[in-house]
Amino acid sequence: MSPTQILVHDLISRHSVTPHDAGCQQIIGARLAALGFSCETVESGPPDFRVTNLWALRQGAVDDAPVLMFAGHTDVVPTGPLDQWHSDPFVPTVRDGRLYGRGAADMKTSLAAMVVAVEEFLAARPQPRGAIAFLLTSDEEGPAHDGTVKVCDLLAARRQRLDWCIVGEPTSTATLGDVIKNGRRGSLSARLTVRGVQGHIAYPQLAKNPIHLAAPALADLAQISWDAGNAHFPPTSWQMSNIHAGTGATNVIPGELVVDFNFRFSTESTPEQLRQRVHAVLDRHALDYSIDWTLGGEPFLTPPGALSKALQAAIREETGAQAQLSTTGGTSDGRFIAKICPQVVEFGPINASIHKIDEWVEVNAIDPLKNIYRRTLEALVA
């Protein structure tokens, strides 16, 4: 196996289910320290959900040199039913050209590729002009309250310079290098409670059915065009994910209706605008209601620039693919990093198996991914 493949195997074998790091950051930190990185462990969170973060920085040879940061997460999602896996999810296993294991695609292959890319780059250029940094967390797959966001707050307080960041999320779709994420939509969730009056279903005049009362308002919300999107983002979408009312009895009008919904929103809308428009609809229908809002993340966008162009060129040189810039998909820790770094993109292996049973990465894509990261280093900080 190549050095990158060996490191991937080592990382997959660690049971780093959120929020546990299981020693992954120690492995990576030791290798970075040997290259001259200053490494700092930042722990956060309550005792029963302790999060481990790694911040590592290697200064450049030139004062006030640009900084390229690699970012990612060492935690993985739970395995799901073990009896449905064809091999132990924490025993890296190669079958038919694929490496199987929890975290193979999301995102231990990217982490290994980043580390070995930096090792190779510094072996060829021991004193590069620019600086290199790593930000790793064990809280990306969890609530994300004590991970990357905490380190970003710390770096902002220190006025740490960051110019470019590559997050190792699995972004490729059909082949390695076909998609780079240069932004993500925002996520705004809410739980709506509509109150009525419970009563016997045979005497509706003595009750107020919150399902009947809320249905016209929900229909209106489902029909709204929230914005038209723009050149980088699709239009903002509103979707109900859960709706519940009733006591379980068929002869009782319920006293309340609870609806969970979510906005995935573009840079054309703000959270406050979306909240105001929802309240306006509910108020117009004269509902007795309350809403608990949760802002999961604001949208971010990196317009085409030095980072995306360098990464696209590296992909083209390594694989021949012409990478497309995209903002589709869910949220990522890029939303936190974008607040302190002007150019943030995400790039990694094929994402077809992420979070699934028998998660995998193509073996013949592991070293090309490493080479793409190394070529990007050569273009930006050499």
Side-chain angles (χ1 to χ4, degrees), residues 135 145 147-159 336 339-340:
L135 195 172
H145 295 157
T148 298
V149 64
K150 292 291 187 182
V151 182
C152 286
D153 289 344
L154 179 64
L155 298 178
R158 294 176 181 176
R159 299 179 182 270
F336 304 126
K339 294 181 181 297
I340 62 171

Side-chain angles (χ1 to χ4, degrees), residues 274-324:
L274 297 174
R275 292 188 192 103
Q276 289 176 354
R277 294 181 69 181
V278 168
H279 282 284
V281 171
L282 300 176
D283 291 342
R284 187 173 71 248
H285 285 271
L287 298 179
D288 179 9
Y289 72 92
S290 60
I291 301 184
D292 293 323
W293 293 96
T294 301
L295 179 60
E298 296 190 42
F300 76 92
L301 175 69
T302 298
L307 177 57
S308 60
K309 290 178 181 178
L311 186 54
Q312 284 176 313
I315 292 168
R316 187 168 56 251
E317 292 163 4
E318 184 65 28
T319 70
Q322 181 57 50
Q324 300 299 310

Side-chain angles (χ1 to χ4, degrees), residues 160-294:
Q160 172 63 52
R161 174 177 178 172
L162 295 172
D163 295 89
W164 308 295
C165 177
I166 301 175
V167 185
E169 290 292 339
T171 59
S172 301
T173 55
T175 61
L176 176 67
D178 58 359
V179 175
I180 297 169
K181 302 288 187 182
N182 66 319
R184 295 279 188 165
R185 294 174 295 174
S187 177
L188 177 64
S189 299
R191 172 159 288 186
L192 165 67
T193 301
V194 178
R195 290 176 287 271
V197 176
Q198 183 173 313
H200 197 292
I201 207 163
Y203 301 93
Q205 71 277 14
L206 302 179
K208 290 175 62 177
N209 193 320
I211 302 175
H212 294 185
L213 295 171
L218 296 177
D220 285 354
L221 290 170
Q223 295 301 316
I224 290 176
S225 175
W226 302 93
D227 60 48
N230 54 39
H232 302 284
F233 288 95
T236 291
S237 69
W238 180 86
Q239 292 291 320
M240 288 183 283
S241 58
N242 188 49
I243 186 165
H244 176 75
T247 63
T250 60
N251 61 349
V252 177
I253 292 172
E256 67 177 26
L257 170 75
V258 178
V259 181
D260 294 324
F261 62 83
N262 175 266
F263 284 102
R264 290 302 165 104
F265 62 101
S266 75
T267 50
E268 295 297 306
S269 295
T270 67
E272 185 55 35
Q273 289 170 338
L274 297 174
R275 292 188 192 103
Q276 289 176 354
R277 294 181 69 181
V278 168
H279 282 284
V281 171
L282 300 176
D283 291 342
R284 187 173 71 248
H285 285 271
L287 298 179
D288 179 9
Y289 72 92
S290 60
I291 301 184
D292 293 323
W293 293 96
T294 301

